[in-house]
């Protein structure tokens, strides 16, 4: 990554302590750039789109369990 590209993207690095060398800053940019590329490649959203019908339809009801019986949670007295 060149300095021009970083300037075009609006990326800035503020060094709060110490005095890193140009080599240390270049190593930092290489590591951060690689991590960004890897994260961006993993963060691809699924491109499947659902129609308005699929969004509005209700889920199918499960069949009734006839083995439970009627009333009071299926308990027969």
């Amino acid at each position: 990554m060149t300095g021009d590209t970083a300037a075009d993207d609006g990326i800035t690095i503020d060094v709060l302590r110490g005095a890193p060398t140009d080599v240390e800053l270049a190593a930092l940019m290489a590591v951060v750039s690689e991590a960004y590329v890897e994260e961006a490649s993993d963060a691809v959203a699924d491109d499947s789109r659902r129609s308005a019908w699929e969004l509005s339809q209700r889920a199918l009801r499960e069949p009734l369990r006839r083995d439970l019986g009627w009333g009071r949670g299926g308990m027969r007295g």
Side-chain angles (χ1 to χ4, degrees):
M1 179 173 203
T2 64
D4 296 336
T5 305
D8 292 342
D9 292 341
I11 298 171
T12 59
I13 296 177
D14 295 327
V15 178
L16 301 178
R17 290 185 185 163
T21 65
D22 289 341
V23 173
E24 291 171 333
L25 288 175
L28 172 68
M29 288 301 298
V31 169
V32 170
S33 297
E34 180 63 28
Y36 174 78
V37 168
E38 184 176 331
E39 182 176 340
S41 68
D42 291 342
V44 177
D46 187 18
D47 200 20
S48 65
R49 299 190 191 261
R50 294 172 47 187
S51 68
W53 171 258
E54 290 173 324
L55 291 173
S56 66
Q57 76 183 32
R58 291 177 21 192
L60 295 175
R61 187 179 78 178
E62 293 182 20
L64 296 175
R65 291 190 53 193
R66 301 203 184 271
D67 59 328
L68 293 178
W70 292 96
R72 297 194 184 216
M75 300 173 70
R76 293 188 176 184

